[in-house]
């Protein structure tokens, strides 16, 4: 059985005060330890504070990005070892905002997934098509291309520890969500492609859905056979909403 995982991607939001309130609110709602892995991914500067507040709550902390190099003259980058040093267990890799706004290619994303895995961080590797690509009938082609780069450069051995997050770009922050069936179709395709490399790993790999997941649509998505939880943006900034989504994943 795959334990569901719900990860909150705070993006470039938050402050010390906000993190204090949000972490306390999530922790207060998690008293009975659901059988769901819960991860928060705050901006880098809030990682130490969130890590501290997460102690004893069962909440894990992750970065939103990492540098593909080990260390050195790479201004503005944060290395895997630094995230580990501050208690991160996870890191989001290749979010569509990184791909579209900061030019991260499939190769860069795959290199980051490889470094994260080698160092012992669990990469949450994001893939997904734009609206134009979906409307052009190219969803499968795009997702396959993104996944192939991961398999070629980072290798199959990063699974089943590594996670995939299928996030249709047209559903991120737009209020539009893929229907349960649309999401399941792509998740099944991703699992099939992993299975072609390693059947056992494919069965154990968790594939998250992301894109306007809210407490009221989470249950339908998470009930799909190949959807193992969610990567949550906007709704992870409100403790009650995030807890509602975690609640949907446990049932
Ligand atoms: P959203 O973001 O839930 O606000 O659509 C999801 C994401 O970008 O990971």
């Amino acid at each position: 059985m795959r334990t569901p995982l719900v990860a909150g991607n705070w993006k470039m939001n938050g402050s010390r005060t906000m993190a204090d309130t949000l972490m306390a609110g999530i922790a207060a709602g998690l008293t009975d330890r659901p059988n769901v892995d819960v991860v928060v991914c705050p901006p880098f500067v809030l990682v130490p504070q969130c890590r501290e507040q997460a102690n004893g709550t069962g909440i894990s902390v992750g970065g939103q990005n990492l540098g593909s190099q080990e260390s050195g003259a790479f201004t503005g980058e944060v290395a895997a070892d630094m995230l580990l040093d501050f208690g991160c267990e996870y890191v989001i890799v290749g979010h569509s905002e990184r791909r579209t706004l900061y030019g991260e290619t499939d190769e860069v994303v795959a290199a980051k997934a490889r470094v994260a895995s080698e160092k012992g961080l669990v990469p949450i590797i994001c893939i997904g098509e734009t609206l134009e690509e979906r409307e052009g009938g190219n969803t499968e082609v795009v997702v396959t291309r993104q996944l192939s780069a991961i398999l070629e450069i980072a290798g199959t051995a990063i699974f089943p520890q590594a996670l995939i997050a299928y996030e249709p770009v047209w559903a991120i922050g737009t209020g539009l969500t893929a229907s349960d069936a649309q999401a399941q179709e792509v998740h099944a395709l991703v699992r099939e492609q992993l299975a072609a490399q390693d059947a056992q790993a494919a069965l154990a790999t968790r594939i998250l859905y992301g894109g306007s997941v809210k407490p009221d649509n989470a249950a339908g998505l998470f009930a799909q056979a190949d959807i193992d939880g969610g990567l949550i943006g906007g709704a992870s900034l409100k403790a009650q909403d995030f807890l509602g989504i975690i609640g949907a994943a446990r049932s």
Side-chain angles (χ1 to χ4, degrees):
M1 267 309 283
R2 299 183 293 266
T3 304
L5 184 144
V6 174
N9 174 9
W10 294 8
K11 308 194 181 184
M12 199 171 72
N13 294 295
S15 63
R16 284 194 279 189
T17 310
M18 171 274 202
D20 186 52
T21 309
L22 182 51
M23 289 298 291
I26 300 168
L30 284 180
T31 44
D32 64 343
R33 294 294 160 87
N35 183 30
V36 176
D37 291 336
V38 177
V39 184
V40 295
C41 301
F44 291 133
V45 291
L46 292 172
V47 163
Q49 181 188 330
C50 290
R51 182 56 267 166
E52 174 117 14
Q53 281 192 265
N55 285 337
T57 65
I59 302 170
S60 298
V61 178
Q64 295 177 12
N65 183 25
L66 83 166
S68 56
Q69 300 88 358
E70 285 236 349
S71 66
F74 302 103
T75 302
E77 294 293 280
V78 170
D81 281 336
M82 298 170 187
L83 293 174
L84 287 162
D85 194 23
F86 281 87
C88 287
E89 295 167 69
Y90 295 83
V91 64
I92 299 169
V93 173
H95 188 279
S96 68
E97 286 150 18
R98 300 296 321 168
R99 291 178 186 261
T100 57
L101 302 174
Y102 299 97
E104 291 192 11
T105 61
D106 291 339
E107 289 69 32
V108 167
V109 172
K112 290 184 173 192
R114 183 178 62 197
V115 169
S117 292
E118 279 171 2
K119 292 291 183 178
L121 285 166
V122 175
I124 301 174
I125 307 163
C126 302
I127 59 174
E129 81 288 359
T130 62
L131 185 58
E132 202 182 8
E133 289 162 343
R134 175 162 283 265
E135 287 178 341
N138 291 319
T139 299
E140 182 168 343
V141 174
V142 171
V143 166
T144 302
R145 189 200 73 221
Q146 293 171 333
L147 192 59
S148 301
I150 303 292
L151 294 170
E152 272 167 38
I153 295 168
T156 314
I158 68 167
F159 300 101
Q161 279 73 32
L163 283 88
I164 301 278
Y166 168 57
E167 299 204 302
V169 179
W170 49 272
I172 295 176
T174 57
L176 296 173
T177 322
S179 69
D180 301 345
Q182 278 175 324
Q184 166 58 23
E185 192 184 355
V186 179
H187 280 237
L189 171 78
V190 170
R191 201 177 303 286
E192 217 172 85
Q193 294 186 351
L194 289 176
Q197 304 292 321
D198 183 335
Q200 283 303 107
L203 271 181
T205 298
R206 291 179 288 185
I207 307 174
L208 311 180
Y209 172 79
S212 299
V213 179
K214 308 286 177 215
D216 60 358
N217 61 19
L221 288 159
F222 297 167
Q224 304 302 307
D226 290 295
I227 300 183
D228 306 307
L231 180 56
I232 318 301
S236 73
L237 297 172
K238 291 195 190 121
Q240 280 324 307
D241 287 356
F242 195 52
L243 288 165
I245 294 168
I246 294 165
R250 82 209 300 188
S251 47

